[in-house]
Amino acid sequence: MSERHEFHIACRAGADALNKHRPGTSAAAKLTVLAGRLIEAPKAPKRESPNASKGEWPTMREELTRKALQAVQVANAARDAGRMTDRDLWFVIDALFDVTHGLIAEDMSALLYRARQELKEHAPK
């Protein structure tokens, strides 16, 4: 399974989790859109791309974004398996947002923020 496909699955799982707590939220809709973008075939890089001469290595921002998404996927899977509560999931998303804000892609940071707010409203006290 490719990395893009894994991210697609993580985004879909995040959207499903948010829809369980609060159907029709904008964060869930954005996760669904992001999942659709990830499943599309990647575009070939242009030759004048700054990364082309580096053998297409990801930038630090891209790598941090990937790792943040991976952490969300792992936490959501743990919650779905019953090893983590909704409150624990909120702690993970909250910590990820606090640590990565300003370091990862802006749209992903905004997505983490919205997910954090949605989970905060619905997590048991």
Side-chain angles (χ1 to χ4, degrees):
M1 182 181 311
S2 74
E3 188 174 66
R4 289 179 69 87
H5 188 70
E6 288 177 7
F7 288 146
H8 165 76
I9 292 170
C11 289
R12 289 294 314 154
D16 292 343
L18 284 173
N19 274 328
K20 283 181 186 176
H21 293 290
R22 192 166 179 192
T25 63
S26 62
K30 294 215 181 270
L31 273 171
T32 302
V33 168
L34 181 60
R37 287 182 188 165
L38 288 171
I39 204 64
E40 295 171 357
K43 297 176 183 171
K46 296 179 181 176
R47 289 183 186 230
E48 63 271 6
S49 168
N51 289 340
S53 62
K54 299 177 188 173
E56 292 303 315
W57 289 98
T59 64
M60 182 67 76
R61 178 169 281 210
E62 291 167 342
E63 190 64 13
L64 287 173
T65 301
R66 181 187 70 78
K67 291 299 246 179
L69 274 174
Q70 187 177 28
V72 169
Q73 179 184 14
V74 168
N76 194 48
R79 188 194 54 122
D80 288 346
R83 296 188 313 264
M84 181 182 284
T85 65
D86 289 342
R87 184 164 170 79
D88 295 333
L89 180 62
W90 176 80
F91 281 120
V92 169
I93 299 294
D94 184 54
L96 270 173
F97 173 77
D98 288 343
V99 169
T100 61
H101 183 66
L103 300 174
I104 63 175
E106 291 175 16
D107 59 337
M108 186 53 58
S109 187
L111 187 67
L112 280 174
Y113 177 78
R114 285 190 293 276
R116 178 180 81 158
Q117 293 305 104
E118 294 291 330
L119 287 168
K120 183 178 181 180
E121 289 176 16
H122 301 288
K125 305 276 188 257

